[in-house]
Amino acid sequence: MSKSVATRTSLVQFQGHFDGLEDGVVRGWATCNLKKFSPVRIHIIIDGQEVGMATADLPREDVQAKLSLPTADLGFRFEIPPSYFNGEKHTLSLRLDDRSALPLLSDGMTSITFSGHLKPSYKSHVDGVKQGALRGWVLRKLPDSEEAGDVVLSILVDGIRIGQTRANRYRGDVAAVLGCDPNCGFEFPIPQALRGSGQHTIKVLAQPDDIELDGCPIITSFADDAFESRIIDVTNELDEIYRRMAKLRQELRDLVPKRPYTLGDYDRWARKYYTLLSKRVAEQRVRAEKNGVLTPLVSILCPVYRPLESDFKAAVQSVIDQTYKNWELILVDDAGKSRETTEIINNFVKSDPRIKCVTLKKNIGIAGATNVAMDAAKGQYIAFFDHDDLLVNVAIEIMVIAAHETGAKLLYSDEDKIDQAGYYLEPNLKPDFNYRYLLGCNYICHLTMVDAATMRQIGHLNSDYNGAQDHDFVLKATEVLKPSEIFHVPEILYHWRKTPNSTAVDVSQKTYAINAGVKCVADHLKRRKIASKVSSIRGLTLYGVEWTSRTQSSVTIIIPFKDQLDTTLTCVENILKHTEYKNYNIILIDNWSVRDETLDFIKKIQKHEKVSVITVEEPFNFSRLNNIAVAQTTSDFVVFMNNDVFVEDPKWLHRMVGEAQAFKDVGAVGAKLLYPNDTIQHAGVVVGPAGVAAHVHRGDPLSEYGYIGRTMLSHEVTAVTAALMLVRRTVFEEVGGFDEEALKVAFNDVDLCLKIRRAGYRIIFSAETIAYHHESLSRGTDDKPEHETRFFLETQTMLERWSSDPLFERDPSYPRYFTVDQQTFFNLVDPEYLDT
């Protein structure tokens, strides 16, 4: 009873108190102050309508003693009709016969709000395990309703939930005894992995209340046959041995005393790399000479304008020192009017007939000077070279061999920088040809070699793009060449000189280059007739592209979930609130939700014109859930989204669809996902045998650029996470969708991406599409003991399926110099282990 035992509602007639609402029952007391005593009637009002009356004639000795009343028969109770416990909010008030309000609780309020569901009662029994299945029955009864089956059950083995089932099987024996709904039985097959001679503890819990069924817990083994049991025991032992071997192997690697190579000590790594590179090329040279490899003339073009004497001499000497001998170096003195430079050029020309000079009377800039060199070139291949940089001594030889072996018409290598003290630093280690990345920056840069006929087809450098003339040239090359005709030579062959006046030190010293870069990318897309807007990112030579097509393809957003109402609700509400794109719908896949509030949410959300719900009562299988949903849509694109991903940018879907609409060969698009603390969770996935798959730049701050702009620039990748992934529906069907047999939980998205890539489509990481991912809220992590076996088997599936595939052996979107199983874009592979 409340501390405020008596609250006078009428000085003349009534006094009373409402004690509370519990388990659907209203309780309190009331009495009449008139001399002629009679029980007081209480009118129950819900949402402004009277739903019944209660008579205050139940014993309440506590009130009688406190107020010294002649009778204790003044308590009342009233059961709220079950229909009002539907998850909605309702208002309750109590009225007396004179229509005055009975105060509620101790604060004098005259109404309260209630919601929720009534708790049911249960009858049940677990019969035990027979023929490999757990059997039993359960009935649930709500107030004012009949006992019924169809109860959802969770099965726990040794404290771990292994699955769910529904008690809807026919049990005539139970119905005959209890006269109840016969469809109340359950049968749950015991998973193969648990069948063995070991003892297990089983519990069965009725959902959503987690009520343990009668007959629990059961302690038993799941062995039906001694031979089968032994086979399973041995299999489980082997699985455990494999897991332990994998852990021990990693521990041994960690124990080996070695200093790993990282970008932090690149100079040490590079010196070992260049020594080994020379040895490798020498071995290749011997094989090449036996095969009679051709030695075409290579023209090396070098505009010259007032270089530092020492740097210029070193640059020319690096050409002279080339192991490949059939070259010509064309120096174009761009009217620099420097006696020292002219003298150096003349001395080189006299000492080596392969060095030629064209002297200009008027300065025409780097583009014009390069064009003069183009016209003077006689070689079959053309290489571009800056007057203060350095070529690695085997650079031209390696490029010519690659051109001969691949038939490529434009080739580019990796590069690094060298400072005034001779230290190697800041390497630009590149992916294989990556057109989308090229739109964002000229990652190709040096060393570039092009077939002479192709160079003339592309035409002269355009001085309108001075500062970005080489970027414009490469973009024009993509307009006349097939992607297969552009080849990345995966060797570091060029040193970019880092001098005080170089863009290698401070790009802001050449702001004109930024404007030229924006213009050359925009003009390239105009020539391709692709609607877009191009802008500089943070005032740098990094470019963002916004696709501006007005066509809105249809999109279906697919979101699997199980309960987690607050998370799922936020996910859906954010989509509906923050999506500017109009032509979309949402399919929610309910995978065994049991909480009353979740079921209420499903009823409500299905009324929204853009939302539908599919119920799948099967064990969690991410691949199957999404395959089921895709089969029920005809949209142009499908978006796979975890229920713990929250979007906030109104253009998020516009950006993803735009990436796919811009180019027909784009099969999938991923997004930049952030942890709640604004660090990166996903910026693309790299694959490889060492680690199967890894999220690059995980943990980096949102403000960082990533390696060579990777987190700021949209680019092609080998895989993206299905936590937020857009896929062209026809492509999804073409490659067979997700693997719901062998990859039910882990790596299914990576496997799908590899299938998409193998089918000839590109996958784009959209850096401009940003969402927040509360990772693992949706299903937990894979490092729990109960998940180890499943994760181990899925890892083995990936290794067995993809280890011989070139896409997996060396990720074309990820520089081969970086490790996959350590910190991406930071830890370097020991040069001794680089593939040749």
Side-chain angles (χ1 to χ4, degrees), residues 1 3-8 14-17 29-33 60-71 74:
M1 188 174 69
K3 292 180 181 179
S4 178
V5 176
T7 302
R8 203 171 286 274
F14 298 107
Q15 61 182 333
H17 190 266
W29 63 269
T31 184
C32 178
N33 293 319
R60 285 295 298 266
E61 288 84 358
D62 56 330
V63 178
Q64 180 189 25
K66 187 71 175 179
L67 299 181
S68 301
L69 296 176
T71 179
L74 38 80

Side-chain angles (χ1 to χ4, degrees), residues 748-784:
N748 37 52
D749 47 4
V750 177
D751 179 69
L752 174 67
C753 288
L754 287 168
K755 291 189 292 187
I756 290 172
R757 288 294 306 271
R758 187 169 59 185
Y761 298 96
R762 292 186 295 143
I763 295 173
I764 305 296
F765 160 64
S766 175
E768 292 83 4
T769 303
I770 299 176
Y772 286 88
H773 186 193
H774 296 250
E775 186 183 28
S776 297
L777 277 180
S778 51
R779 67 169 181 86
T781 62
D782 287 313
D783 57 5
K784 295 180 181 179

Side-chain angles (χ1 to χ4, degrees), residues 466-503:
N466 265 352
Q469 69 284 341
D470 48 354
H471 196 178
D472 175 65
F473 181 84
V474 176
L475 287 171
K476 285 177 178 175
T478 67
E479 297 169 26
V480 300
L481 296 177
K482 300 175 183 177
S484 60
E485 294 175 315
I486 301 175
F487 183 72
H488 169 223
V489 178
E491 301 289 0
I492 307 167
L493 304 180
Y494 194 97
H495 305 307
W496 192 3
R497 178 75 68 177
K498 192 168 183 176
T499 64
N501 295 320
S502 170
T503 55

